[in-house]
Amino acid sequence: MAWLYALLASRSVVWLLFVVNAAGTAYGYYWYRYQLADTPPLFLPFVPDSPTASLFFLIVLGAWLLGRRAPLFEALAVVTLVKYGVWAVVMNVLVWRVTGTLDWAGWLLIVSHGAMAVEGIVYAPFYRFRCSHLALAAVWTLHNDIIDYVFGMMPRYQMLANYADVIGYFTFWLSIASLAGAYWLGIRQPRRRLCLSDRGA
């Protein structure tokens, strides 16, 4: 596995991921444009879940490229990339099961959000966040669930409206699982050295 981590830590791969995630983040906020237009200003930071997750990772990658660390954003990135990556895959599969069909955009969401979850997991060994950073990420993540499912700001899937309560319950436990996974992968497991170069770490 050493070759894989060396590849992940290469400057060219990090730059590639920076560009791809920047494009994905921009498109994600565009995808939410109609819901954001109807959202009260107080809730705006908590509505575009997936693009905000990729924005956290974008900040982490940018810091690495500048030779710096952003441990709070590392914690936010690993938790939210895994959570919303898995969440979107499950929701689109559920749409497929409920309606019997899924358009190309739904399949694109499955692939792109699955990749988000993978990013969160494979880069966790390079992170240097602490329990205090993870605790702040937990506050953000669980507070976001409250905003979504108590105040009704969840992503709009009209065909799944009858399942809102079950989806909210699932999302809460997905948050807990993502936080537990972040603790295990980002704190308990051995760390990998990050030394960006074209040869990797």
Side-chain angles (χ1 to χ4, degrees), residues 75-192:
L76 286 165
V78 66
V79 173
T80 58
L81 285 173
V82 173
K83 174 188 173 181
Y84 295 115
V86 172
W87 187 93
V89 170
V90 171
M91 289 307 106
N92 281 280
V93 170
L94 185 57
V95 168
W96 185 23
R97 292 293 302 274
V98 169
T99 66
T101 186
L102 190 66
D103 61 15
W104 67 269
W107 289 110
L108 179 61
L109 287 172
I110 287 177
V111 172
S112 61
H113 286 73
M116 282 174 54
V118 171
E119 281 182 334
I121 292 170
V122 299
Y123 274 95
F126 295 106
Y127 295 156
R128 294 294 185 272
F129 61 82
R130 300 183 180 183
C131 288
S132 57
H133 302 117
L134 187 57
L136 291 173
V139 170
W140 170 273
T141 303
L142 297 174
H143 180 256
N144 204 351
D145 288 346
I146 292 170
I147 298 300
D148 280 353
Y149 296 98
V150 175
F151 293 93
M153 296 292 121
M154 73 287 286
R156 293 175 179 171
Y157 281 84
Q158 298 299 332
M159 65 288 290
L160 300 180
N162 292 335
Y163 304 92
D165 291 344
V166 175
I167 291 171
Y169 183 76
F170 163 74
T171 303
F172 169 77
W173 284 109
L174 181 57
S175 294
I176 298 300
S178 299
L179 289 162
Y183 174 73
W184 179 255
L185 294 171
I187 295 177
R188 295 288 296 173
Q189 293 297 299
R191 305 294 83 212
R192 292 277 177 172

